[in-house]
Amino acid sequence: MSRYNITLITGDGIGPDLTCSAKTILETINDNSNTKFTIDEVFAGDNAVRKFGKALPDSTVDKIRKSDACLKGPVGESAADVIIVLRRLFDLYANVRPAKSFPNITTSSNNIDLVTVRENTEDLYLGWEFYADENTVISLRLTSERASRRIAEYAFQMSILRNHKRKVVAVHKANVMRKGDGLFARTCKSVAEKYPSIEYSELYVDACAMKLIRNPEEFDVILTTNLFGDILSDEAAQLVGGLGMGPAANIGDDFALFKPVHGAAFDIAGRNIANPSSILLSTKMMLEWLAYKNNDKDALKQGKRIEDSIVGLLKENKKTKDIGGELSTQEFTNLVKYYLY
Ligand code: ATP
């Protein structure tokens, strides 16, 4: 039997609806399998600013540090003060965002199964912006060989682990950003030489955005920089049914944080209509990561149950509103729970 200590960030907007759903499913797994959880709910985001005057209170960081993994609901206006800081504090350098076709969700292709592996610590996300004068801003973009190499290694390992199409495409804009993306492209290429069994190619980001619309089923692993990965992974999520179906993982060597790809979606907050699949599939990714880290076959099995349960519901056309159904967040969660065991 394994027991994992999970920190749960409730978040803002639809965050409480989604994390309540994830908690229900984790508690169901806890009650029916050998994979057990202690769930510690912590504050971060706009609600923490109101309560503690700080988006990421020290007590939250301390608790996350002591936990095995963190599951995070979306955060509102203060998102950058939470997720970007957590990525830096825990060196969560790989942002992994799968996009897979689901039954009964109408999209351009029924055969999409790709994952975006996005560098998570550099690029424009360091917030190095300066006023040159009142009307001119200079934004600095960081690219290092070290960060490019470790994300490239991660992407190739991911392609091997998936054992799907065994293809990695490095996406950049080295024709314009010759030095920064030139370094990224060169480094990816040199890592590719270590993996002759994986097909390697490169695309400029604009060409990749087009190809994702035209031939999404041709992709396996998309390896890219921070900002391009943010945009391309939202595009990929849209291709398989929208943000409500999009999970994500922020992974480092020792720790990982799991969250939906989308934001707090204030337009639908408090209405019990958000699609919890994004956080439930993130929970599945968390179980997978814990399973590989701890050599825990049962955790892997329980994670798979979450995905199977969601797929089973979609096959029966049981869906939330965003993907053409009628079920509320709570009704969908209860059905996932029912189908789990
Ligand atoms: P951010 O800039 O922080 O990513 P945003 O407000 O621009 O956030 P999102 O919150 O990511 O955008 O979502 C955009 C829209 O997609 C929302 O307004 C909402 O209508 C829809 N949406 C997002 N997540 C879900 C979900 N889980 N279920 C249903 N609809 C969703």
Side-chain angles (χ1 to χ4, degrees):
M1 192 180 83
S2 322
R3 177 170 288 279
Y4 298 110
N5 182 6
I6 307 299
T7 31
L8 183 67
I9 295 176
T10 311
D12 307 308
I14 58 174
D17 285 354
L18 298 192
T19 46
C20 176
S21 168
K23 212 173 145 196
T24 302
I25 298 308
L26 284 173
E27 282 166 355
T28 308
I29 292 172
N30 186 80
D31 295 343
N32 290 277
S33 79
N34 280 327
T35 303
K36 309 287 181 193
F37 305 99
T38 304
I39 300 170
D40 195 359
E41 289 188 50
V42 293
F43 290 95
D46 299 357
N47 61 79
V49 172
R50 285 192 294 272
K51 208 169 154 70
F52 303 101
K54 208 172 167 192
L56 192 60
D58 295 345
S59 57
T60 294
V61 175
D62 283 348
K63 283 182 177 172
I64 294 175
R65 211 180 284 288
K66 287 183 192 130
S67 67
D68 294 302
C70 178
L71 185 61
K72 178 183 158 299
V75 162
E77 295 303 317
S78 52
D81 299 327
V82 177
I83 187 64
I84 294 180
V85 177
L86 286 173
R87 282 172 187 159
R88 203 172 311 145
L89 279 176
F90 293 92
D91 199 18
L92 307 175
Y93 62 85
N95 193 326
V96 180
R97 298 182 165 194
K100 200 170 165 181
S101 298
F102 290 99
N104 282 321
I105 299 183
T106 315
T107 55
S108 59
S109 165
N110 293 326
N111 237 343
I112 301 170
D113 189 354
L114 63 87
V115 59
T116 309
V117 173
R118 158 187 169 198
E119 203 292 317
N120 222 8
T121 62
E122 299 194 333
D123 202 338
L124 287 167
Y125 283 65
L126 292 169
W128 290 344
E129 294 192 303
F130 311 93
Y131 280 100
D133 62 45
E134 218 173 283
N135 302 308
T136 315
V137 171
I138 297 172
S139 305
L140 296 182
R141 182 174 188 262
L142 178 76
T143 312
S144 75
E145 200 265 351
R146 174 181 172 265
S148 304
R149 183 166 295 281
R150 70 176 176 177
I151 198 65
E153 288 281 359
Y154 192 94
F156 280 92
Q157 291 291 339
M158 170 67 76
S159 187
I160 290 170
L161 185 70
R162 279 163 60 79
N163 198 17
H164 180 45
K165 296 193 186 84
R166 295 176 79 87
K167 294 204 284 199
V168 171
V169 57
V171 177
H172 53 74
K173 192 73 182 167
N175 52 340
V176 175
M177 293 178 284
R178 291 190 191 142
K179 291 199 173 69
D181 271 13
L183 173 64
F184 177 75
R186 264 197 323 279
T187 310
C188 292
K189 198 168 173 211
S190 89
V191 172
E193 284 161 13
K194 282 175 50 189
Y195 296 90
S197 69
I198 306 287
E199 185 187 320
Y200 174 73
S201 60
E202 292 178 22
L203 275 177
Y204 293 134
V205 63
D206 43 344
C208 181
M210 272 197 305
K211 193 173 167 186
L212 261 176
I213 303 284
R214 211 170 38 211
N215 307 105
E217 61 289 330
E218 284 183 15
F219 288 91
D220 178 21
V221 175
I222 297 175
L223 158 63
T224 190
T225 52
N226 208 340
L227 179 61
F228 295 158
D230 190 4
I231 299 165
L232 292 174
S233 59
D234 268 25
E235 184 185 347
Q238 203 58 49
L239 289 171
V240 296
L243 296 174
M245 296 303 298
N250 292 259
I251 296 179
D253 286 334
D254 305 315
F255 193 74
L257 176 149
F258 301 82
K259 64 178 275 294
V261 293
H262 55 75
F266 286 109
D267 56 328
I268 55 166
R271 291 168 56 196
N272 192 24
I273 57 170
N275 185 348
S277 301
S278 56
I279 201 157
L280 296 181
L281 293 168
S282 304
T283 308
K284 177 232 167 189
M285 290 180 83
M286 179 176 80
L287 286 169
E288 257 174 10
W289 181 79
L290 287 167
Y292 288 124
K293 186 163 187 265
N294 299 289
N295 197 13
D296 177 355
K297 287 199 179 93
D298 191 66
L300 194 66
K301 213 160 79 187
Q302 308 316 321
K304 175 104 179 35
R305 279 178 188 271
I306 299 178
E307 185 173 46
D308 288 350
S309 187
I310 291 172
V311 169
L313 285 175
L314 296 176
K315 275 189 183 150
E316 293 183 13
N317 246 321
K318 296 191 167 109
K319 301 191 275 196
T320 46
K321 221 171 159 181
D322 57 313
I323 48 171
E326 310 233 303
L327 296 175
S328 68
T329 311
Q330 220 166 358
E331 287 165 337
F332 190 84
T333 304
N334 287 340
L335 286 170
V336 174
K337 176 180 167 171
Y338 180 74
Y339 274 53
L340 216 48
Y341 294 98

